[in-house]
Amino acid sequence: MEALDIRENEPLAAHTTFRIGGNARYFARVSSENELADAITFAHAQSAPVFILGGGSNLLVADSGFEGLVIKNEIKGVEVREQENLVFIDVGAGESWDGFVEYCINNGYWGIENLSAIPGTVGAAPVQNIGAYGIEVKDAIESVRTVDIRTGEQRTFSNTECGFSYRESFFKTVEGKNFFITHVEFRVSRLPRPNLSYKDIKEYFTNEEKPSIVQIRDAVVKIRSGKFPDLSQFGTAGSFWKNQIISIDVYEKLKVAYPLVPSFPAPEGLVKIPLAWILDHVCGLKGHKIGKVSLYKNQPLVLYAESGATASEVEAFATAIERAVKEKTGIDIEREVKSLSC
Ligand code: EPU
């Protein structure tokens, strides 16, 4: 067996959609469980902390980089098991997320079509329970297969054990970060089940009662394209913050000051408010720009950076936005983007 290629001082900017950040002390791509085992052995021998990298599409790397081993997940493969109208698909976590969505569209497998055109890998999807246009990936996940990077042992998590909630899962917790996701098993359906609940989708299909799976994908791609800056020119990680989930009491107070504030029901009697609306109508920050960092003019939740911007500029900009929201509403907003530093 060939030895695993471990690079030193690898620039991480090229591995993220933000295109920002310093070097990784060590960097390895793994495409099998055996290579993963070798990478883990190396990290233990060097006493190096490990960071698991997927598509780098939800990540802000510090300018000083990472003093450990970054393992890029390139485990591939798709295995399908049909059981009447249900279809179980076991997918290598290093596969492209949108490549997998397209595979499902081409085969008429329903369940994840509204999650079209999201950058990143299959393995990253359960970590932050990606969601868009009325669907969260948790509703299509059967189980998640992992390797514990402390021990090298395999462990499979059932859907319930993944602890999914809005943009959260067990894999984002301190304990959960020890598990390297190697495969995700999905449960999709051969029966059409269009989900047109989300406002933008509903409006798109006003004249169409039962759009096909291809039509839904096309609609999502079209709607999304207006909400993000051109990725070939700018660095971004999509929504920089979450839509804040608040208690009814906090919401009622907010509504007194801003009667038009929209809201959506969240689990446990809580309320989700669109932060884009707050940034736009309460803080007047839509399109706000300092130096090379801006909030996007069509969707202020999306922070983007021009070429040459640094992570510390993004940090300072984001912190100022967080302060402005706190001052106007009293709410502490939470980031969706993950940070990686030494
Ligand atoms: N709004 C404004 N001004 C604007 C834009 C939006 O006031 O300029 C208000 C409107 O009231 C609108 C609301 O904000 O109805 C929500 O905006 P939008 O529908 O564009 O989506 P979002 O809630 O901001 C979420 C996800 C996106 C996902 C979309 C579509 C989060 C943090 N973001 O955004 O996910 O694509 O819904 O379902 O939940 C991501 O995770 O990176 C991401 C982009």
Side-chain angles (χ1 to χ4, degrees):
M1 191 184 72
E2 253 181 59
L4 184 68
D5 178 22
I6 295 183
R7 295 195 210 164
E8 291 196 44
N9 301 318
E10 171 80 1
L12 288 175
H15 295 284
T16 73
T17 57
F18 244 130
R19 291 191 239 141
I20 284 178
N23 296 349
R25 177 77 183 86
Y26 302 108
F27 181 91
R29 297 167 193 270
V30 300
S31 53
S32 67
E33 270 109 332
N34 282 341
E35 287 186 351
L36 174 60
D38 289 351
I40 291 172
T41 304
F42 174 85
H44 288 175
Q46 305 288 326
S47 302
V50 168
F51 180 79
I52 305 158
L53 179 69
S57 54
N58 197 40
L59 183 65
L60 179 62
V61 177
D63 299 319
S64 53
F66 178 64
E67 269 304 310
L69 170 67
V70 171
I71 308 181
K72 183 159 164 58
N73 190 340
E74 293 192 347
I75 297 174
K76 300 277 167 71
V78 176
E79 271 177 42
V80 179
R81 184 166 52 86
E82 296 196 5
Q83 198 178 301
E84 294 177 11
N85 288 321
L86 281 184
V87 185
F88 295 88
I89 316 181
D90 193 71
V91 189
E95 291 281 358
S96 129
W97 170 258
D98 197 49
F100 171 56
V101 174
E102 197 175 23
Y103 172 88
C104 288
I105 305 285
N106 291 341
N107 287 283
Y109 297 154
W110 288 78
I112 57 171
E113 55 286 349
N114 293 32
L115 302 177
S116 285
I118 297 179
T121 56
V122 163
V127 176
Q128 65 148 338
N129 182 22
I130 58 169
Y133 305 106
I135 290 190
E136 286 185 341
V137 77
K138 72 174 171 59
D139 297 327
I141 289 180
E142 183 73 5
S143 66
V144 173
R145 247 156 65 210
T146 71
V147 168
D148 186 333
I149 54 180
R150 294 166 297 190
T151 61
E153 277 169 21
Q154 295 193 353
R155 176 163 168 200
T156 300
F157 291 79
S158 68
N159 180 299
T160 312
E161 286 171 327
C162 292
F164 292 122
S165 61
Y166 169 62
R167 290 299 190 278
E168 288 293 338
S169 76
F170 165 75
F171 303 107
K172 275 177 101 172
T173 64
V174 174
E175 170 67 9
K177 283 182 182 149
N178 292 307
F179 294 89
F180 186 106
I181 297 175
T182 58
H183 296 83
V184 182
E185 191 185 19
F186 294 88
R187 184 187 359 90
V188 286
S189 170
R190 286 156 62 90
L191 298 177
R193 41 176 199 187
N195 180 331
L196 311 182
S197 62
Y198 199 86
K199 185 169 148 266
D200 293 351
I201 300 276
K202 212 184 285 167
E203 284 168 9
Y204 189 96
F205 287 116
T206 38
N207 299 322
E208 194 86 42
E209 255 184 33
K210 286 208 172 110
S212 69
I213 199 166
V214 173
Q215 282 173 311
I216 294 182
R217 177 174 174 80
D218 289 349
V220 170
V221 169
K222 212 176 251 170
I223 295 165
R224 279 184 72 90
S225 68
K227 293 202 181 172
F228 296 93
D230 181 357
L231 275 177
S232 67
Q233 288 195 45
F234 300 108
T236 182
S239 295
F240 195 85
W241 296 276
K242 297 186 204 170
N243 284 320
Q244 200 60 38
I245 295 178
I246 56 178
S247 69
I248 283 278
D249 287 358
V250 174
Y251 171 68
E252 291 299 345
K253 278 188 202 131
L254 196 62
K255 213 167 149 65
V256 172
Y258 308 103
L260 295 180
V261 62
S263 67
F264 303 96
E268 293 163 26
L270 299 169
V271 177
K272 186 155 86 175
I273 47 159
L275 180 58
W277 193 92
I278 303 280
L279 293 170
D280 186 355
H281 302 277
V282 175
C283 303
L285 286 169
K286 186 163 154 158
H288 181 62
K289 179 172 189 209
I290 295 181
K292 293 183 161 150
V293 189
S294 315
L295 296 185
Y296 193 49
K297 62 178 182 355
N298 297 345
Q299 173 39 292
L301 203 50
V302 175
L303 182 155
Y304 72 102
E306 288 166 33
S307 150
T310 62
S312 47
E313 283 166 0
V314 172
E315 270 298 331
F317 181 90
T319 305
I321 303 283
E322 286 151 8
R323 277 206 203 106
V325 174
K326 173 84 178 172
E327 261 170 37
K328 291 267 189 185
T329 65
I331 297 171
D332 289 300
I333 56 175
E334 287 166 48
R335 292 186 185 180
E336 187 196 290
V337 167
K338 284 197 279 186
S339 289
L340 174 63
S341 54
C342 294

